[in-house]
């Protein structure tokens, strides 16, 4: 069986930090399923279809990557894919508490699931989708933090 992992998130929108993490995951795993969550308590800037479409285009250059959407529990989505490894990113100590809680809850829900943490290259540690959305909404430049096609999509979205 191929060594596979699921990398779940909202990806609203996908950033250079996400891209860096997917690249790292693909150097370890033969198959990386980027799983974009449809059910989020966050009100998204982009629809699920738009988020999937952008992620597919941005990640087209990374080997072994598939982008899928899902609703429901991440552990159940992973099980359906026959995958027992979940990859998550740690940017700073501030991510740790929530990620640690989530990893333990995943393990509680499904004994088979292992969560693996990866850290991005230094220049990506301060990038989040939330900050990208906030900066863009306030009229700031985000082209350094996202792929050009995402930058264009953000601009189009805000021009409306
Ligand atoms: N710049 C980054 N470097 C490393 N990991 C990241 C980065 N941005 C997000 N991640 C990780 O990717 C996973 C999915 O993240 P998510 O979709 O919530 O992105 P986010 O940037 O945190 O968005 P939001 O601000 O909306 O929460 C999480 O494990 C998160 O820690
Ligand atoms: Mg987040």
């Amino acid at each position: 069986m191929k060594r596979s992992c699921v990398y779940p998130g909202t990806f609203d929108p996908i950033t250079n930090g996400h891209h860096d993490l997917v690249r790292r995951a693909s150097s370890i795993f033969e198959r990386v399923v980027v799983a974009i969550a449809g059910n989020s308590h966050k009100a998204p800037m982009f629809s699920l279809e738009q988020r999937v479409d952008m992620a597919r285009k941005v990640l087209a250059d990374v080997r072994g990557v598939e982008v899928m959407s899902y609703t429901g529990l991440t552990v159940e989505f992973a099980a359906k894919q026959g995958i027992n490894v979940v990859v998550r990113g740690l940017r700073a100590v501030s991510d740790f508490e929530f990620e640690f809680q989530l990893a333990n809850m995943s393990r509680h829900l499904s004994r088979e699931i292992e969560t693996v943490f990866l850290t991005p290259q230094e220049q990506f540690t301060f990038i989040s989708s939330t900050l990208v959305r906030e900066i863009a909404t306030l009229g700031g430049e985000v082209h350094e933090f996202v792929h050009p096609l995402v930058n264009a999509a953000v601009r189009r979205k805000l021009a409306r």
Side-chain angles (χ1 to χ4, degrees):
M1 203 175 84
K2 272 189 181 178
R3 257 198 311 176
S4 311
C5 70
V6 169
Y7 175 35
T10 38
F11 301 91
D12 182 37
I14 185 162
T15 68
N16 292 343
H18 292 129
H19 187 279
D20 182 84
L21 226 72
V22 171
R23 231 178 19 79
R24 283 170 205 287
S26 95
S27 74
I28 304 169
F29 299 94
E30 290 166 87
R31 180 175 175 231
V32 179
V33 177
V34 174
I36 308 194
N39 54 336
S40 173
H41 53 279
K42 313 168 186 169
M45 174 180 253
F46 293 98
S47 73
L48 185 55
E49 293 68 32
Q50 288 172 318
R51 284 180 275 147
V52 167
D53 182 58
M54 282 190 282
R56 278 201 182 123
K57 287 174 179 155
V58 168
L59 298 171
D61 64 334
V62 194
R63 188 187 47 82
V65 176
E66 278 166 59
V67 179
M68 297 171 83
S69 63
Y70 76 107
T71 51
L73 294 174
T74 303
V75 292
E76 278 173 11
F77 172 78
K80 267 190 217 130
Q81 297 298 314
I83 297 174
N84 71 341
V85 180
V86 170
V87 164
R88 296 286 289 179
L90 289 176
R91 285 163 285 203
V93 182
S94 52
D95 276 337
F96 180 79
E97 205 168 345
F98 177 65
E99 293 294 343
F100 187 65
Q101 184 185 18
L102 205 60
N104 282 324
M105 182 54 85
S106 297
R107 181 177 281 160
H108 183 81
L109 293 171
S110 166
R111 286 261 147 228
E112 288 79 48
I113 293 286
E114 293 296 345
T115 304
V116 169
F117 295 104
L118 297 175
T119 54
Q121 202 176 308
E122 237 173 285
Q123 80 240 43
F124 302 121
T125 50
F126 59 88
I127 303 176
S128 74
S129 297
T130 298
L131 275 179
V132 165
R133 291 193 306 273
E134 276 178 14
I135 291 166
T137 306
L138 296 172
E141 269 300 332
V142 297
H143 68 270
E144 281 175 85
F145 315 129
V146 296
H147 187 281
L149 78 84
V150 174
N151 187 37
V154 169
R155 281 168 173 272
R156 272 199 307 277
K157 180 72 73 180
L158 293 171
R160 274 193 206 127

